[in-house]
Each structure stands twice: as structure tokens, then as C-alpha cells.
Amino acid sequence: MVFCTVLRFCSKKTRGKSTGKFIDSLRLMVRGGPGGMGHPKYGGVGGRGGNVILVADEEMTLNKVLHKVPARLVKAGEGENSHAHRLCGDNGADFILPVPTGISVFSTTGVKFGDLNKADEQVIVAKGGLGGQPATQFNGLKGEEIKVVLDLKLIADIGLVGFPNAGKSSLLKSISRAKPRVAAYPFTTLKPQLGVIMYDDFRQITMADLPGLIEGAHQNRGLGHRFLKHIERTKLLIFLVDINGFQLSHEYPLRQPFETVALLNKELELYGKEILSKPTLLVVNKMDTEGAEEKWKKLKDLLSNYKENIRLLPKVMQPQQPITFDEIWNMSVQQDPEAVRTLAFKLRQHLDIHADYERSQLPIQQIEDGIKDMKQRHQIQNALTEHSSSKLM
Ligand SMILES: Nc1nc2c(ncn2[C@@H]2O[C@H](COP(=O)(O)OP(=O)(O)OP(=O)(O)O)[C@@H](O)[C@H]2O)c(=O)[nH]1
Ligand SMILES: [Mg+2]
């Protein structure tokens, strides 16, 4: 009850400021154009109906799509009828609908049409009907008609996950030019926010800040789970944890920082989809608060043997698949801009190392075929060794 009240109270405040509801899923009825009539007397063939085609466009959002087709109905053009003076009718016009990059297109029965991940990629969702011809007794056929779901998953390099109030939006704000709302109550962030980290050499890395997760998020408690799909396509995750732990309200138990790490691990595991196999960094925040150093000592001890120590927690908090953190950091996002800068640098390094590592899978395949590229493997192995020796823990 208290939980619901908090949620409604917060959503009211933030929605007042927002510029429209963020849509990350949209249903549309799409209809291919009907074929034109043939001409039985002269054997004329009607034009084919137009197709409905979705094309990825980086400028689009699902809100803009809805603005373009407010009735959620998309119809391609009719094929032209065959006439005595013009026996072959023209084909109907295709309806080309620009959609955001990063969408998956499904039928409402769950059949996938495809993913549109890069600008200009396209998918035909409804084909136009055949024009009238002898095989159709010169009748034009109806076009395909189907309900489709456009499911948006943001494409960001890095995804921020954590309990509410941990400082995720504060980190996004200080590391990028994004201006997410930051406030001292849970569920300040109600929809995913994207920020771009800019580097001196013009490299840009995108980071997604998601609404906070809570225990039981996989059972649809809170807001976080609904948005977890947005980290499916990220290359790197940051678990952001408050050194003081998390307490939803006085009616709920205080979760110690180690418990919040395990619980985040568990929620992601229950969400599934191999999210836990992504490289993950742990950032422990709010080190400027009272008693933080003491708490950090304890947390560090527990984390140094994470796999064993999570088994000491109550069963409900235990993930089956303990995550391996690539690196663990502690910092104060709010008080230590230098640490934030170093983190930005580290993030870049991690992304590069993992990109190299992914690429290194190719030569490994070829090795099996007898073609060895040992030089590259050595370079990557060296990079990984250097990298692991720079870990905090
Ligand atoms: N003392 C201290 N407070 C911090 C720090 N970082 C963030 N905060 C505060 O923690 C509170 C929550 O910060 P947010 O950035 O809104 O947290 P969030 O994780 O985005 O929260 P949700 O959007 O609710 O999930 C705010 O009052 C921040 O000012 C820090 O390093 N030190
Ligand atoms: Mg936030």
C-alpha cells in the first residue's frame, strides 16, 4: 500500500515536467493495397497493390510514428485497374513508414518479422494483393492485413542498473550532457534516459539510465522490469549500488549493500535473456556519506569471495548464477568529479577491450581450420592481462 502511494506520488510530480509519454511499444494495423481489376475482355492485368514497408530512421521515435498515423492504421495504395486503353494497371503506391532504429517487429501472435537496428534497414510487413489476371478470374486480390507490434529497445553502449535512489541519474548527469531528473526519493526516473559521453578525440559513448529495480521486479513489481529490455542490446552494464544499502520505506527491511548486489544479480538472472553474460562493472556510490569507509571495508571483504558469500544470504536473495564483475569501483558521483572522469576513461577502455575480445573470436574459429593468427591473439591476451591487473579488487 505504502509502495503504491510512493509510486503514484512520484509519478505525478515528474510527469508534470515531462514532454509526453515515452512509448517503447506500439501496435499498428497494417494493410497491403488491393490489386486492381483485370480486363477480362482484352486479357488486361490489374496493378499489384502497394506494400507496407517499415524503414529504420535515426530521427524517428515511436511517439513520432504515432503522430504520423494517429489512427494506428497504415494502408498502402490500391493497384490500378486495367482499362481498354491501358491494359496493364500501375502498381499501387507502397506505404513507407519511417520507424526508429532499434525496433523489433512482431505480429501480435509473436511471429518476428525482423529487427531494424541500422538506418535504412527495412522490412515488408504487409504485401499488396495480386492484380486481376486470368488466374484470379481478373479480380484484384486483397492485400495482407495484420496487426504488428513495434517493440523498441534502446541501443546504448552502456546500461545503468541499480535500486532506486542509488545515484544512477546523478552519474548520467555528471558523465554526459544529459539532464535527467535527480531527487532524494525512489522512482524519480520513470522512463529510460539516454546520455552521450563525449571524449576529447570526439569519440562518443552512449549510456542508458533506467528506472530503479526493486526486489520482485521480475514479477512486475515497480517500474524497472518493464524497462530491462532496454539493456538487452547494451555492450556493458554498470551495477550502481549505494554504500548505505536500500530501503524502500520503513515498512520494508533495509538491504545491506552486499544484499543489493546479490538482489540485482538475481533480478537480472530472473529476467533471463543472457543479460548476465554481458561484461559488468560494479560501482559503489555515495562514499562521501558518514560511515561509508567502514561499510566499504565490509562490502569489499564480502565481494572478494562473492560466490561463496552469497550462499550465506537467505535463499530468496541468492542468485543461481553469480555474476563476475570485470571491475569494482567505489566513488562519490556527487562529490568527486575526478572519479567520474576516470570512470568515463575506464568505460571506454572496457568497451574497447571487449570489442577486441569479440573480434578475437574470429581467429579462434580459424585456428580450428588450421589458420592461426597468433600475433593478434597474443595482443589481446596481453591487453586482457594488463586490464585485470588494474582492477581495484
Ligand atoms: N551523498 C551523496 N548523494 C548522492 C550521490 N549521488 C547521488 N546522490 C543523491 O542520491 C539521490 C538519488 O539520486 P538519483 O541520481 O536521482 O538516483 P537514481 O538511482 O537515479 O534514482 P531512481 O531514478 O529513483 O532510480 C539524490 O538526492 C542525489 O542527490 C553521492 O555521490 N553522494
Ligand atoms: Mg534516476
Side-chain angles (χ1 to χ4, degrees):
M1 194 60 206
V2 173
F3 160 68
C4 294
T5 318
V6 171
L7 209 128
R8 250 186 278 131
F9 165 71
C10 300
S11 33
K12 235 188 212 166
K13 274 199 133 181
T14 313
R15 279 201 188 120
K17 284 226 158 198
S18 78
T19 52
K21 197 166 173 281
F22 172 77
I23 307 177
D24 62 1
S25 179
L26 181 66
R27 275 171 187 244
L28 294 177
M29 172 67 92
V30 292
R31 193 181 294 158
M37 291 295 287
H39 204 300
K41 191 166 168 192
Y42 302 113
V45 177
R48 181 186 58 77
N51 300 320
V52 177
I53 304 172
L54 308 183
V55 183
D57 178 337
E58 278 168 359
E59 300 296 310
M60 286 302 285
T61 63
L62 285 182
N63 296 63
K64 288 187 188 170
V65 174
L66 189 57
H67 190 72
K68 218 172 154 75
V69 285
R72 297 170 196 243
L73 171 65
V74 179
K75 288 193 287 187
E78 295 173 14
E80 192 193 11
N81 292 343
S82 162
H83 296 288
H85 58 280
R86 189 178 160 82
L87 285 179
C88 287
D90 278 345
N91 290 340
D94 290 337
F95 193 114
I96 298 175
L97 182 66
V99 294
T101 48
I103 62 161
S104 300
V105 187
F106 295 94
S107 72
T108 42
T109 53
V111 180
K112 193 171 186 176
F113 282 94
D115 294 322
L116 300 178
N117 286 330
K118 286 195 201 109
D120 300 327
E121 283 182 350
Q122 47 177 264
V123 62
I124 299 180
V125 281
K127 286 192 176 144
L130 268 184
Q133 49 194 276
T136 65
Q137 283 84 48
F138 294 96
N139 292 315
L141 299 188
K142 276 188 176 173
E144 288 175 342
E145 178 171 304
I146 188 166
K147 267 191 197 151
V148 291
V149 182
L150 313 188
D151 190 29
L152 177 72
K153 291 174 186 171
L154 298 177
I155 304 177
D157 296 309
I158 301 168
L160 273 175
V161 286
F163 275 75
N165 227 30
K168 300 177 294 300
S169 304
S170 305
L171 175 59
L172 186 76
K173 200 171 181 169
S174 60
I175 210 168
S176 75
R177 293 179 184 180
K179 295 187 175 64
R181 190 178 164 88
V182 168
Y185 50 75
F187 305 115
T188 307
T189 304
L190 296 173
K191 58 188 185 184
Q193 308 283 327
L194 271 187
V196 182
I197 311 173
M198 313 279 271
Y199 294 86
D200 290 345
D201 59 356
F202 305 111
R203 168 101 180 256
Q204 299 187 354
I205 290 175
T206 47
M207 184 184 263
D209 168 25
L210 300 186
L213 289 171
I214 55 169
E215 280 177 76
H218 66 281
Q219 295 162 329
N220 271 338
R221 287 193 59 209
L223 303 162
H225 184 257
R226 164 168 143 55
F227 294 112
L228 269 181
K229 65 175 184 173
H230 293 299
I231 54 168
E232 277 178 37
R233 291 181 188 176
T234 55
K235 298 176 190 138
L236 182 79
L237 295 181
I238 297 182
F239 273 28
L240 193 73
V241 165
D242 185 336
I243 188 63
N244 303 300
F246 174 72
Q247 189 168 24
L248 186 56
S249 77
H250 64 275
E251 292 189 4
Y252 289 84
L254 167 72
R255 295 303 188 198
Q256 297 300 330
F258 184 70
E259 293 172 334
T260 62
V261 177
L263 283 164
L264 284 174
N265 185 163
K266 185 170 175 139
E267 287 305 329
L268 260 55
E269 171 183 294
L270 291 170
Y271 177 75
K273 314 249 170 77
E274 296 174 358
I275 281 186
L276 287 184
S277 61
K278 287 183 191 293
T280 306
L281 312 184
L282 173 62
V283 176
V284 179
N285 188 26
K286 307 199 187 179
M287 287 303 293
D288 58 296
T289 51
E290 210 188 315
E293 280 302 332
E294 276 306 302
K295 291 175 194 164
W296 166 246
K297 268 187 210 141
K298 264 194 214 158
L299 177 60
K300 196 171 147 184
D301 261 5
L302 289 166
L303 288 170
S304 65
N305 202 354
Y306 181 60
K307 285 184 187 154
E308 301 297 316
N309 288 331
I310 49 173
R311 301 288 160 236
L312 305 176
L313 295 174
K315 269 258 169 335
V316 285
M317 293 191 209
Q318 287 183 23
Q320 293 307 309
Q321 197 189 330
I323 198 161
T324 307
F325 294 108
D326 284 36
E327 197 159 356
I328 298 174
W329 280 73
N330 68 6
M331 64 197 293
S332 164
V333 167
Q334 217 170 48
Q335 305 288 329
D336 192 352
E338 189 51 40
V340 174
R341 266 195 293 281
T342 313
L343 180 65
F345 172 75
K346 281 279 173 189
L347 293 175
R348 175 182 181 152
Q349 260 187 346
H350 276 277
L351 284 173
D352 288 346
I353 288 167
H354 284 285
D356 283 350
Y357 187 70
E358 296 262 293
R359 276 198 289 276
S360 78
Q361 305 300 313
L362 282 175
I364 288 167
Q365 276 287 308
Q366 289 164 7
I367 284 162
E368 282 165 10
D369 301 328
I371 306 161
K372 296 189 181 180
D373 185 354
M374 292 308 288
K375 196 169 160 236
Q376 192 184 357
R377 289 192 71 201
H378 275 132
Q379 276 170 355
I380 288 159
Q381 268 162 3
N382 288 345
L384 287 171
T385 324
E386 262 175 41
H387 159 73
S388 53
S389 63
S390 72
K391 283 182 183 177
L392 193 79
M393 297 187 56

